Amino acid sequence: MTSPHSPSTPSDPWAAPPAASTPSDPWAAPPAGPYPPYAPYPYEPEPPYVSPPLPYHRLALVTGRHRWWRPVAGTALVLGGAVAAALLVLLGAEIAGAALGKPVDKDGLRVWGGIGQMAQGLLSLALLLPVVFLAARWVQRRPGGTVSSVVGRLRWDWLVRCLLLALPLVAASLGVMLLLPGASGDGTDDMVWAGLPDFLLGLAMVCVLVPFQAAAEEYVFRGWLTQAVGAWCRSPWVAILPQAPLFAAAHGWGTPWGFLDLVVFALVTGVLTLRTGGLEAAIGLHVISNLLAMGLSAAIAGALASDETAADMDAVSVCVDVVMICGYAALVLWWAGRRKVEAVGTGRTADDGDDR
């Protein structure tokens, strides 16, 4: 009998283990045959920047690509574009004038007469429209439509309403000014009918070019300059202040009263732009004011050739004009409140899938 304390026979340490307990060799060669397809590393692109709703003067930040130098570079592009547009129109006029045999003045430039000279000036300003859009797109890397409004486009229905609202007010103020004596006290006795052909030609030129000229000025001053300053400053008042004296200075220096009138116009339309979230109200008043004033000038012999602008207004005319401007602003703000016109946005409409 074997004692329980007797040593048992040990198993052979060199024997192979049972097959069932043999683990797979992690260093074994892979089996022959086709390998499974390569699984690429999962890459998730960075989600696009989503801008919060912004007021109009801050829309330069809508894409998240703002850098401190972009407003400066964009403003330089707008100024360079203004010079280039003026030179391009002048060159075109000289070439066309030479082909048509137009006479030459003492400066060696072709003479086109009052209507032609006014057309050149209006066209030079109108060409600033694409310049502003390109500055927003190329320099600030944002949709050009964000200069128009907080929805990324011009709101045509609201623009038409503003035009209709401005028409009777501007017509009434212009009528009152015509009844007032002039600065020299001679009234309107020196007005001479331009003749039907010249009137129709001048009126056609005004109707074609003035809407673009007036809109271009709004895009430059109430649009680009306001948003350029607004890219740095949160305060809307700081954003709209610089453009006002610059707008007045761009019309030349006439009288202190005329300069004041232009500053008031720029400040009031700047407030309307911010409160309504777009340029429509400012464009409406500017277009109607210029259309009626220049349309009336087309009926007066030599009036379109005059160098006088709103900067040459006298004190009484300025008082009438300021009352009209403030009345228009009050009605626009009231109407915008009733229609719930958007004053903040992301630069695109809810169903807008493209950059405008």
Side-chain angles (χ1 to χ4, degrees):
M1 180 175 179
T2 306
S3 170
H5 301 287
S6 60
S8 58
T9 305
S11 60
D12 187 358
W14 308 107
S21 61
T22 303
S24 59
D25 185 359
W27 307 105
Y35 295 102
Y38 171 74
Y41 181 78
Y43 169 73
E44 295 183 2
E46 183 179 353
Y49 176 80
V50 178
S51 170
L54 296 171
Y56 177 83
H57 69 290
R58 301 285 284 172
L59 285 180
L61 313 178
V62 75
T63 60
R65 299 175 178 176
H66 170 66
R67 299 295 182 271
W68 69 266
W69 53 267
R70 292 191 189 275
V72 178
T75 303
L77 176 60
V78 172
L79 290 176
V83 175
L87 293 177
L88 181 64
V89 171
L90 179 60
L91 178 61
E94 289 300 301
I95 294 175
L100 296 175
K102 293 287 184 180
V104 179
D105 62 11
K106 61 180 182 180
D107 297 321
L109 301 176
R110 299 290 170 174
V111 177
W112 285 87
I115 297 176
Q117 294 297 122
M118 179 64 71
Q120 292 179 44
L122 295 177
L123 181 58
S124 299
L125 293 172
L127 290 178
L128 287 176
L129 272 174
V131 174
V132 171
F133 290 136
L134 291 177
R137 169 67 72 177
W138 289 353
V139 180
Q140 291 193 322
R141 300 297 184 183
R142 61 184 172 112
T146 55
V147 188
S148 300
S149 75
V150 295
V151 300
R153 60 178 175 81
L154 203 62
R155 298 166 292 189
W156 289 100
D157 56 339
W158 177 235
L159 174 59
V160 171
R161 293 173 188 273
C162 292
L163 289 168
L164 295 176
L165 184 60
L167 180 58
L169 296 176
V170 175
S173 68
L174 189 59
V176 172
M177 291 181 193
L178 289 175
L179 296 176
L180 296 174
S184 61
D186 57 356
T188 58
D189 295 336
D190 56 346
M191 293 185 180
V192 178
W193 169 242
L196 187 59
D198 286 346
F199 168 67
L200 293 179
L201 180 60
L203 185 63
M205 180 272 297
V206 166
C207 291
V208 170
L209 293 180
V210 161
F212 297 100
Q213 167 264 329
E217 291 186 13
E218 293 304 317
Y219 271 90
V220 170
F221 292 98
R222 257 65 70 192
W224 175 264
L225 288 180
T226 297
Q227 291 183 343
V229 179
W232 296 318
C233 305
R234 290 181 178 273
S235 171
W237 293 108
V238 175
I240 65 173
L241 283 177
Q243 56 86 24
L246 292 176
F247 174 75
H251 288 74
W253 179 261
T255 66
W257 291 106
F259 190 87
L260 176 63
D261 179 74
L262 290 167
V263 169
V264 171
F265 180 93
L267 288 176
V268 172
T269 51
V271 171
L272 290 179
T273 299
L274 298 181
R275 292 289 299 273
T276 61
L279 294 172
E280 296 88 356
I283 292 175
L285 180 59
H286 203 156
V287 167
I288 293 298
S289 297
N290 286 12
L291 275 177
L292 294 186
M294 293 187 186
L296 178 63
S297 297
I300 303 172
L304 288 178
S306 173
D307 294 330
E308 290 189 2
T309 66
D312 301 296
M313 294 176 68
D314 60 273
V316 178
S317 298
V318 168
C319 291
V320 175
D321 197 46
V322 168
V323 170
M324 181 274 296
I325 293 171
C326 294
Y328 172 80
L331 290 175
V332 166
L333 293 177
W334 171 78
W335 206 353
R338 290 200 60 181
R339 290 183 53 81
K340 294 180 170 49
V341 176
E342 298 176 71
V344 296
T346 60
R348 61 174 66 223
T349 57
D351 56 348
D352 187 13
D354 60 332
D355 291 341
R356 300 192 185 188

